[in-house]
Amino acid sequence: AQKVTQAQTEISVVEKEDVTLDCVYETRDTTYYLFWYKQPPSGELVFLIRRNSFDEQNEISGRYSWNFQKSTSSFNFTITASQVVDSAVYFCALSGSGNYGQNFVFGPGTRLSVLP
Amino acid sequence: NAGVTQTPKFQVLKTGQSMTLQCAQDMNHEYMSWYRQDPGMGLRLIHYSVGAGITDQGEVPNGYNVSRSTTEDFPLRLLSAAPSQTSVYFCASSYLPSRDNEQFFGPGTRLTVL
């Protein structure tokens, strides 16, 4: 069975602090995809990043960076110099291989509050 | 392209009422699905479809029906609403097989059952 764990339910930081959101996953598939989505107070799901299981390179996009480690089954997300606009719920998700790999398994989400 | 659209955006029902949540996409995607989002549980898969006339159950299908008569539309029916179905519902679609499992999510429908 597939499972995604986000152990941090809520995190509060002060603006300009760095913050890391943890994601640990379980899967038996050898090919799989990991995702991060942002859900701002407006409620829509905003796609942030997708990573396949064969690409362990870390990625940086502006203030966002992602650390993928297959050895620990983790796909952590770091926001550098956080801003109030980063306040949202962040979801980590996993999808497997095959035609029905589109069936996502989501973690419970981490609510990030960035205080001015 | 409008992408994935959902109607209504908000809905309040009384226990026992029925209703249909609408989902449509204009990208000619074969795959469509419904998720529900509850606090502390993330999004969970209700039903999915891999093409017109083909549907299957996800993780939490009880209390919901779906059908797929066209490629574009994938309505979710609540036959007798219960307070436990108070949730935010998201529809999603993708090509099948999709490149990199990319999915497109609708804006969501917030449902309250009193």
Side-chain angles (χ1 to χ4, degrees), chain A residues 33 35 37 39 41-45 47 50 52 89 91 95-109, chain B residues 9 31 33 35 37-38 40-45 48 50 88 90 94-103 105-107:
Chain A
Y33 296 87
F35 302 78
Y37 285 85
Q39 187 177 47
S42 53
E44 76 273 23
L45 287 170
F47 168 79
R50 170 181 53 246
N52 74 52
V89 180
F91 292 100
S95 70
S97 58
N99 278 342
Y100 302 160
Q102 286 84 348
N103 292 347
F104 278 27
V105 175
F106 283 82
Chain B
K9 196 169 179 61
Y31 177 89
S33 59
Y35 293 84
Q37 179 186 1
D38 302 295
M41 305 193 74
L43 281 74
R44 292 178 294 168
L45 183 67
Y48 65 95
V50 298
V88 180
F90 287 95
S94 72
Y95 291 108
L96 191 69
S98 70
R99 187 174 71 87
D100 295 340
N101 280 18
E102 181 178 20
Q103 286 215 49
F105 284 88

